[in-house]
């Protein structure tokens, strides 16, 4: 209706319609919509739509406030509204009218129907009563017959059972024919008790005997099947189950089962064994294959057929994998099925009393132990073949897998010693590995020493070549080669140690199953890695260094002196830093907890220092020996009585100075300068002039006076009295000056001793004077205390003066001229 | 008990040659030969009075030349040999001769010791050990414990066995052996073995030690590279026939079993310079003296390779009082090879050391500056060995 009226003004129309709805809602008590507006307007009595509307008030208000025209408008508007309201009411009435009509009609119809229904219900109840009556009567009459029928049906079942019994042999036979063993056993089992019970009756006895015969045959057949083996494990277990039900002795069955399993596992083992010795086994495996084919019973997955003869040798991981997949998994399978069959199987009646599980368990243990032992021996054999130290991760992974798979066995057989044995194998392998690494480190060390030796030998050649070509670069390169060699040697050793440590560290990695064993947490780290690997290696380094000293001493310097020097520096570096670094590194990497006492760093350092000292002493000895040999030969081979007047310094002295200088350079490359006693400026000249003019002359003067033979040695004796004793082959300190002092001491002392063994003529003495002055000029700068050189040279000249037939010393100025001329 | 202080005797000249007077078993007597190119050389007869700790000296002139080696006859107290250098016409020749001491050197000395220094008596030459073919003699060895009739001289590369006849006034070469090989080989030193009926000789040349059979004059063994450098001296163990000590320029003292010459039985490295002399004690062969040009003399106790490796087995009760506790402890612990003592009385190189032939606990050492030092084995050790 609102739509019909809406065209004149949409706004007004919509507002009106809402109002209408609102009023209708109000009427019907639905006032959820527009509640707020209502409440706001409700108090105003002049609101025409509000509930408190007062017409009087409204009219008065309008009359008071509005003009006439407005009132007129208002009135028309009001009339219009009233009219539209009326029409709305009318439509509502029309719309609902029909519904009222139909409702009244329905009520009326219902009234009629209920009346009819009451009648029918009455009729029904009457009928039901009649039916009950009848049924009671019928059941009363049928009572007797029902009892009879029950009895008859009982007889019927009995007869059927009898029939079953009589038919049993035939049925069993048929089952046997069809190989439906399970059914046969089932049938027999059902009948067995009955037959047993009525066996006194001849007919039943006959049946029983027949059945027994058949069942024996069946059992025979089952056993045969069992023995043949070829069946799948499911068949097999079925077989065993049936046999058990047939009162077969469980022990025998266990044995049979195990022996059958053994044959299969052994073929696995054979396959593994064949892989270890591929050459020897390829023939046998081929033979196995052919023999298997001949027999016509090719086992479904015989592992003997697997290894291809062409593959030379599988790596350890593959081997272990195969071992795990074939042997260990089938072992597990055997264990589970065995346990299911014999141990966990719910035993019925008489069987339970025989205490089968215990017996079976014992057998299983022995069986597993035996086979596992063989498996382990194979694995160990294989591991021992793993000699190459290149890739440790493979071995570790293999061992990990090996160890992990054995855990399955331990889960299946909780009391078994197998996992422990496995762990022991892993431990042994790890120890073996550590030993191999030690060997590898040692050989690496020796190899790098050989390299160094070669490197020491070659630069000399190349320098010789280069100097001819005239390459200043090469000569500059060469002196630095010694420190370079040292640093490369020590860094390569360190790297090697680090890489070895990294490899060994794999054994204790978190994801490795055996790394959390107490052994690998404790003993392996401390005793295995730290002691027998790292400490042993350091010991080896020290020891081999010492050996250099000893062997070279007898053979007369088979080791190049530069190598001795280099090694001594290496050992010294070890003492100062490297050892503690390596050990700290090890301790950190392996989290070594020192349960057992370990070698302390200090004792290793002491060892290294000792080795360094020994090497350096030996170096001094060897170098001193080389120089003193030159001096000795030069003194011994000359006829000093009949020599000519000295015109220049002997070549050997120049050679001595040259060699000393080159040794000085060599030592300076590796060792620090060291402290020397302060010497005066222009040492060579001044001291020598003192030495020769005052003391020397005084001594000669004394020795020439025949009246006082007692004074011969007085001055030198007094001098010795106040000077410290000189240890010729004494220990040296780790610095250049000390080393050079040692070498020069040895050389000059030799010179002295040789001079004392000779007799000199006048010119012989003079030659010695010249030589000594020359040495004096050059050697003082190398030593820590120049007085030492002075003293020894003094002794030499003094001794030769004593050994001189005609001691007429040369003029100092002449000596100086000769020496400066070179 | 404190050990007696060493007794020092100074010679006027430099000296290298020292020997005990072997035939003299009552008095402690050493002979020293001097080296002087300008003056007449002397032989000093040093008598040591053990009770008073006094040295008596007598000087005999040895005018032939400077003495490099001296040897006393084992049979006749008065007979000795020297190796000396003779210089003539600016040539130096090494010779050897047998000498007799004048019979009254002893008497004359006691009366006026001052005179003897100025007017010493001269040695009487018995014979020269000269063989025209061979030059420089390094040393002369008397037959150990012999009758003073046989000597061996080592000259250059020859070993000559001499027979002394007519109270040593005539010497004839009875047999000879020659060292052959590359280069100029030279004997530096040697020792006549007292074992095997005195039929063996050991010599040192360069770094090798060689053994010789005197009956056939042929080499029986050779220890090549016995020392890293020159071998300076040898000595036989007086009680163990196969044991030999050697020393050399490599500062080492080595002990050899000549049945197995691959490796030394023992090596000592206590000296800091060349070792010039090694001597076994004549009666207690665990005591070994070594002299070195580091101016030291070292007495070692080599128990492990001695003929008495376990010492004497003695009941503790027999030990003299006052020492028993001390001794007890010591005798229980196993004896070890050790340095007994290092003697530092010398200021110059010590070239010779000798045990006294009369007193087994006494020895002398001689350094180049002419200082002779007489020392005793420390008493504690002496009693340990004896008791």
């Amino acid at each position: 209706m609102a739509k019909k009226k809406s065209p004149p003004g949409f706004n007004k129309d919509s507002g009106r319609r809402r109002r209408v709805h609102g009023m209708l809602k109000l009427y019907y008590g639905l006032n959820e919509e527009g509640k707020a507006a209502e409440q706001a307007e409700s108090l105003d009595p002049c609101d025409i739509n509000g509930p408190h509307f007062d017409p009087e008030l409204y009219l008065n208000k309008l009359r008071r406030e509005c003009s006439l025209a407005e009132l007129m408008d208002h009135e028309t508007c009001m009339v219009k509204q009233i009219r539209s309201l009326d029409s709305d009411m009318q439509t509502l009435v029309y719309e609902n009218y029909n519904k009222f009509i139909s409702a009244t009609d329905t009520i009326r119809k219902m009234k009629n129907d209920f009346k009819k229904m009451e009648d029918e219900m009455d009729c029904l109840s009457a009928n039901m009563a009649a039916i009950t009556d009848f049924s009671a009567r019928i059941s009363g009459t049928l009572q007797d017959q029902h009892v009879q029928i029950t009895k008859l049906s009982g007889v019927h079942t009995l007869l059927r059972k009898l029939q079953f019994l009589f038919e049993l042999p035939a049925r069993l036979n048929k089952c046997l024919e069809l190989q439906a063993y399970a059914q046969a056993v089932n049938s027999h089992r059902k009948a067995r008790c009955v037959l047993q019970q009525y066996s006194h009756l001849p007919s039943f006895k006959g049946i029983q005997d027949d059945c027994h015969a058949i069942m024996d045959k069946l059992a025979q057949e089952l056993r045969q099947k069992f023995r043949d083996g070829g069946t799948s494990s499911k068949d097999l277990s079925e077989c065993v189950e049936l046999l058990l039900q047939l009162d077969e002795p469980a022990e025998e069955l266990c044995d049979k089962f195990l022996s059958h399993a053994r044959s299969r596992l052994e073929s696995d083992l054979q396959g593994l064994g064949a892989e270890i010795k591929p050459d020897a086994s390829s023939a046998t495996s081929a033979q196995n294959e052919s023999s298997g084919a001949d027999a016509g019973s090719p086992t479904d997955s015989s592992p003997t057929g697997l290894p291809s003869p062409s593959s030379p040798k599988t790596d350890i991981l593959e081997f272990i994998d195969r071992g795990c997949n074939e042997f260990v998994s089938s072992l597990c399978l055997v264990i589970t099925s065995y346990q299911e069959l014999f141990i966990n199987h719910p035993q019925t009646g008489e069987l339970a009393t025989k205490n089968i599980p215990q017996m079976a368990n014992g057998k299983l243990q022995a069986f597993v132990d035996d086979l596992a032992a063989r498996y382990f021996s194979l694995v160990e054999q294989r591991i021992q073949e793993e000699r190459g130290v290149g890739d440790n991760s493979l071995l570790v992974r293999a061992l990990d897998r090996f160890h992990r798979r054995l855990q399955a066995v331990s889960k299946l057989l909780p009391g078994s010693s197998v996992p422990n044995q496995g762990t022991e194998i892993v431990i042994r392998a790890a120890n073996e590995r550590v030993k191999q690494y030690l060997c590898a480190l040692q050989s690496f060390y020796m190899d790098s020493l050989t390299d160094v030796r070669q490197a020491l030998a070659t630069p000399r050649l190349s320098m010789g070549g280069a100097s001819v070509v005239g390459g200043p670069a090469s000569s500059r390169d060469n002196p630095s080669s010694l420190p370079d060699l040292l640093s490369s040697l020590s860094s390569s050793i360190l790297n090697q140690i680090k890489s070895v440590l990294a490899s060994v560290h794999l054994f204790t990695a978190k994801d490795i199953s055996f790394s959390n064993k107490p052994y690998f947490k404790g003993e392996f780290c401390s005793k295995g890695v730290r002691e027998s690997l790292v400490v042993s290696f350091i010991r080896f380094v020290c020891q081999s260094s010492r050996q250099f000293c000893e062997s070279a001493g007898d053979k007369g310097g088979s080791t190049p002196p530069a190598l001795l020097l280099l090694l001594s520096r290496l050992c010294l570096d070890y003492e100062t830093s490297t050892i503690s670094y390596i050990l700290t590194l090890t301790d950190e990497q392996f989290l070594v907890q020192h349960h057992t006492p370990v070698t302390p760093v200090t004792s290793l350092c002491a060892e290294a220092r000792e080795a360094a000292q020994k090497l350096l002493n030996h170096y001094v000895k060897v170098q001193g020996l080389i120089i003193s040999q030159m001096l000795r030969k030069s003194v011994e081979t000359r006829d000093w009585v009949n020599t000519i007047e000295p015109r220049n310094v002997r070549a050997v002295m120049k050679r001595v100075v040259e060699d000393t200088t080159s040794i000085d350079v060599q030592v300076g490359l590796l060792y620090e300068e060291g402290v020397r006693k302060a010497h005066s400026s222009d040492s060579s000249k001044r001291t020598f002039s003192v030495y020769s003019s005052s003391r020397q002359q005084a001594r000669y003067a004394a020795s020439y006076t025949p009246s006082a033979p007692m004074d011969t040695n007085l001055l030198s004796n007094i001098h010795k009295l106040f000077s410290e004793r000189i240890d010729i082959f004494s220990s040296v300190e780790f610095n250049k000056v000390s080393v050079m002092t040692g070498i020069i001491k040895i050389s000059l002392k030799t010179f002295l001793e040789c001079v004392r063994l000779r007799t000199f003529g006048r010119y012989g003495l003079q030659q010695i004077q010249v030589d000594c002055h020359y040495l004096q000029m050059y050697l003082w700068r190398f030593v820590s205390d120049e007085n030492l050189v002075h003293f020894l040279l003094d002794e030499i000249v003094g001794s030769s003066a004593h050994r001189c037939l005609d001691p007429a010393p040369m003029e100092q100025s002449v000596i100086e001229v000769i020496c400066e001329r070179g | 008990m404190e050990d007696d202080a060493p007794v020092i005797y100074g010679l006027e000249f430099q000296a290298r040659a020292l020997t005990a007077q072997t035939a003299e078993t009552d008095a402690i007597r050493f002979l020293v030969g001097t080296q002087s190119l300008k003056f007449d050389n002397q032989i000093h007869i040093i008598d040591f009075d053990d009770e008073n700790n006094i040295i008596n000296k007598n000087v005999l002139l040895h005018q032939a030349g400077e003495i490099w080696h001296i040897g006393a006859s084992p049979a006749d107290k008065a007979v000795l040999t020297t190796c000396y250098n003779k210089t003539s016409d600016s040539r130096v020749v090494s010779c050897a001769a047998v000498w007799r001491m004048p019979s009254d050197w002893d008497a004359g000395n006691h009366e006026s010791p001052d005179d003897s220094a100025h007017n010493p008596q001269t040695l009487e030459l018995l014979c020269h050990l000269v063989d025209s073919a061979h030059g420089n003699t390094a040393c002369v060895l008397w037959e150990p414990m012999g009758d003073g009739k046989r000597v061996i001289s080592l000259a250059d590369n020859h070993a000559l066995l001499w027979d002394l006849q007519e109270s040593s006034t005539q010497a004839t070469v009875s047999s000879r052996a020659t060292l052959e090989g590359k280069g100029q080989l030279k004997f530096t030193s040697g020792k006549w073995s007292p074992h095997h009926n005195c039929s063996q000789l050991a010599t040192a040349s360069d770094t090798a030690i060689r053994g010789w059979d005197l009956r056939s004059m042929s080499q029986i063994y050779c220890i090549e590279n016995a020392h890293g450098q020159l071998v300076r001296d040898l000595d036989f163990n007086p009680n163990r026939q196969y044991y030999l000590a050697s020393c050399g320029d490599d500062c080492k003292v080595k002990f050899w079993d000549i049945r197995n010459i691959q490796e030394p039985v023992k090596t000592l490295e206590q000296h800091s310079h060349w070792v010039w002399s090694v001597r076994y004690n004549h009666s207690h062969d665990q005591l070994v003296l070594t002299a070195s040009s580091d101016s030291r003399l070292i007495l070692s106790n080599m128990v492990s390779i001695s003929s008495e490796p376990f010492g004497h087995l003695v009941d503790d009760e027999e030990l003299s009082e006052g020492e028993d506790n001390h001794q007890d402890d010591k005798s229980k612990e196993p004896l070890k090879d050790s340095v007994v003592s290092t003697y530092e009385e010398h200021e110059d190189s010590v070239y010779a050391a000798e045990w006294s032939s009369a007193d087994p606990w006494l020895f002398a050492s001689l350094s180049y500056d002419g200082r002779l030092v007489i020392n005793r084995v420390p008493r504690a050790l002496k009693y340990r060995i004896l008791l």
Side-chain angles (χ1 to χ4, degrees), chain A residues 554 625 632 641-642 710 720-721 725 727-729 749-750 753 756-757 759 801-805, chain B residues 12 16 37-38 66 68 90 229 249 251 272-274 276 293 295-296 344 346 348-349 351 368:
Chain A
D554 287 343
L625 182 64
R632 200 175 107 185
V641 179
N642 302 312
M710 288 289 280
K720 278 179 200 162
L721 214 59
R725 187 186 290 271
D727 271 343
I728 304 304
F729 287 104
K749 178 77 178 176
T750 306
E753 292 294 339
R756 283 179 175 183
L757 289 171
T759 310
H802 273 295
R803 304 283 320 143
C804 183
L805 295 168
Chain B
E12 296 86 343
R16 280 174 186 269
L37 290 165
K38 291 117 201 169
E66 53 172 5
W68 286 85
S90 60
Q229 300 172 51
D249 286 2
C251 314
S272 74
H273 202 245
W274 305 352
W276 286 76
S293 42
S295 312
R296 288 194 182 91
E344 313 223 0
H346 293 286
D348 207 331
S349 305
Y351 292 132
Y368 189 61

Side-chain angles (χ1 to χ4, degrees), chain B residues 102-315:
Chain B
S103 53
D104 56 343
W105 61 267
D106 211 2
N109 244 342
H110 277 297
E111 285 160 13
S112 54
D114 291 339
D115 284 352
S116 70
H118 293 289
N119 302 310
Q121 289 173 287
T122 312
L123 283 170
E124 179 193 338
L125 177 70
L126 290 177
C127 63
H128 285 289
L129 297 175
V130 177
D131 186 71
S132 55
H134 314 110
N136 302 312
T137 310
C139 63
V140 175
L141 310 167
W142 287 91
E143 182 181 26
M145 295 166 287
D147 53 3
K149 295 261 162 74
R150 297 213 293 173
V151 290
I152 292 174
S153 69
L154 299 175
D156 282 343
N157 59 341
H158 297 282
L160 307 169
L161 180 60
W162 302 81
D163 277 333
L164 302 178
Q165 285 142 358
E166 313 204 358
S167 11
S168 308
T169 51
Q170 265 194 341
T172 50
V173 175
S174 66
S175 58
R176 65 184 68 210
T178 307
L179 185 58
E180 276 155 2
K182 274 188 285 181
Q184 272 203 318
L185 290 172
K186 226 163 70 176
F187 287 121
T188 50
S189 159
K191 204 79 188 179
W192 196 329
S193 166
H195 305 292
H196 312 293
N197 219 2
C198 297
S199 63
Q200 284 187 11
L201 170 75
T203 61
S205 50
D206 201 21
T207 61
I209 297 171
R210 289 179 166 81
W212 304 85
D213 188 333
L214 294 175
R215 293 164 297 191
S216 61
M217 283 314 248
S218 58
Q219 184 175 311
I220 44 178
Y221 58 85
C222 177
I223 310 172
E224 296 281 1
N225 288 322
H227 284 265
Q229 300 172 51
L230 203 69
V231 181
R232 289 277 169 196
D233 197 15
L234 303 164
D235 199 15
F236 280 98
N237 188 318
N239 301 322
R240 302 188 76 181
Q241 54 183 342
Y242 297 113
Y243 277 71
L244 175 70
S246 67
C247 59
D249 286 2
D250 56 359
C251 314
K252 289 175 186 163
V253 178
K254 293 186 179 179
F255 297 89
W256 303 89
D257 182 341
I258 57 173
R259 291 165 298 184
N260 177 19
I261 57 172
Q262 302 307 314
E263 286 288 320
V265 181
K266 208 92 190 176
T267 302
L268 297 182
E269 278 182 88
Q270 275 121 13
H271 284 292
S272 74
H273 202 245
W274 305 352
V275 187
W276 286 76
S277 174
V278 59
R279 288 286 178 271
Y280 277 109
N281 187 299
H282 304 305
S283 351
H284 306 284
D285 54 67
Q286 58 269 54
L287 299 176
V288 176
L289 266 186
T290 50
S292 159
S293 42
D294 63 359
S295 312
R296 288 194 182 91
L297 182 72
I298 291 180
L299 176 62
S300 308
N301 188 12
M302 305 301 294
V303 186
S304 69
I305 51 171
S306 77
S307 59
E308 311 170 349
F310 308 109
H312 285 285
L313 297 171
V314 182
D315 290 336

Side-chain angles (χ1 to χ4, degrees), chain B residues 8-41:
Chain B
I8 301 177
Y9 170 73
L11 282 80
E12 296 86 343
F13 300 109
Q14 288 168 332
R16 280 174 186 269
L18 169 72
T19 185
Q21 196 177 26
T22 324
E24 176 65 75
T25 50
D26 296 330
I28 299 165
R29 187 171 296 158
F30 294 99
L31 305 177
V32 183
T34 63
Q35 281 196 316
S36 171
L37 290 165
K38 291 117 201 169
F39 307 104
D40 279 343
N41 280 289

Side-chain angles (χ1 to χ4, degrees), chain A residues 212-223:
Chain A
H212 271 307
I214 294 165
M215 287 320 284
D216 283 349
K217 201 169 150 201
L218 185 131
Q220 209 72 39
E221 216 157 299
L222 277 175
R223 251 172 266 156

